[in-house]
Amino acid sequence: MMTGQPAGEPKKAKKKLVTLVAAGVALLALAGASLVYLLTPNADADPLIPKKDWVSVVPNQVDFAAPELSLTDLEGNPVALVDHLGEVVLVNNWAFWCPPCRAELPELQAYYEAHRQQPFTAIGVEAGDEKVDVDYHVKLFKITYPVWLDPKQQSMMAIQSFSLPNSYVIDKKGRVRLTWVGVIDRAMLEKYVTPLLEE
């Protein structure tokens, strides 16, 4: 019995349908893998961290009194810079959404781990984001140095530096000796901060 459709057409249509279904399944699998990648806390695979082709900035050498900064830590405890008099303190102003800040975090963590037994601490001051987001990124980057919350950005106002990341180093006598704006690596920290530990 003759119809208006050639005999080969149903086979072609079936083959096309199978191809479309297979392509759809592959796209769903790719989307699922991408979602898992984005939701997996793995700082080493962080798409927001630029590859190590950036150049570390050189700190400015300065000399002025440390700001009177009082904030809260991630547990809600009151904290202040004056509590660290007698230590060298590296204060890093950062935000989790800032790619250069994220690039710098492993460098700061490595330096902190290398010198934490000396009269030294690093303090990460997060510039105004929600605690839940800060907590997540502290775990993501395995940060073990203290992190303070700064909802009103007092730390940046204190040194009149509003680009992120920015940092300053306070010596054992409570004087700011180094400042910089931009990403700094561990080698630069060793060159400029370590001598202050030995004073």
Side-chain angles (χ1 to χ4, degrees), residues 158-179:
I159 59 165
Q160 292 296 297
S161 185
F162 299 98
S163 296
L164 292 174
N166 71 70
S167 302
Y168 52 99
V169 177
I170 305 166
D171 69 15
K172 297 172 188 175
K173 297 178 180 177
R175 305 287 298 177
V176 177
R177 299 279 297 277
L178 301 170
T179 65

Side-chain angles (χ1 to χ4, degrees), residues 8-168:
E9 284 299 313
K11 288 182 181 178
K12 287 181 182 177
K14 186 175 180 182
K15 187 175 180 181
K16 192 172 186 180
L17 180 62
V18 169
T19 303
L20 285 172
V21 169
V25 169
L27 283 172
L28 284 172
L30 181 61
S34 299
L35 186 61
V36 169
Y37 171 80
L38 290 173
L39 295 179
T40 300
N42 179 6
D44 294 332
D46 189 340
L48 294 182
I49 294 182
K51 300 302 177 194
K52 186 65 193 291
D53 56 1
W54 45 265
V55 177
S56 178
V57 299
V58 176
N60 298 310
Q61 299 193 34
V62 296
D63 187 4
F64 59 88
E68 295 180 8
L69 184 65
S70 299
L71 298 169
T72 57
D73 64 17
L74 291 176
E75 286 71 48
N77 302 312
V79 285
L81 284 181
V82 70
D83 298 336
H84 295 276
L85 193 61
E87 296 178 306
V88 173
V89 183
L90 188 165
V91 180
N92 173 244
N93 293 307
W94 69 288
F96 74 84
W97 45 261
C98 158
C101 300
R102 296 165 81 96
E104 188 177 49
L105 292 175
E107 305 289 318
L108 299 176
Q109 177 63 36
Y111 185 81
Y112 172 71
E113 286 296 332
H115 295 281
R116 63 186 302 177
Q117 301 304 320
Q118 296 176 262
F120 168 77
T121 194
I123 299 171
V125 180
E126 214 288 339
D129 295 299
E130 295 292 329
K131 180 182 180 300
V132 63
D133 294 319
V134 181
D135 282 334
Y136 174 83
H137 287 86
V138 165
K139 290 174 185 171
L140 175 67
F141 287 94
K142 300 179 176 65
I143 298 171
T144 59
Y145 54 82
V147 174
W148 298 358
L149 299 173
D150 191 6
K152 297 181 180 177
Q153 300 181 350
Q154 296 176 62
S155 181
M156 291 193 293
M157 286 191 287
I159 59 165
Q160 292 296 297
S161 185
F162 299 98
S163 296
L164 292 174
N166 71 70
S167 302
Y168 52 99

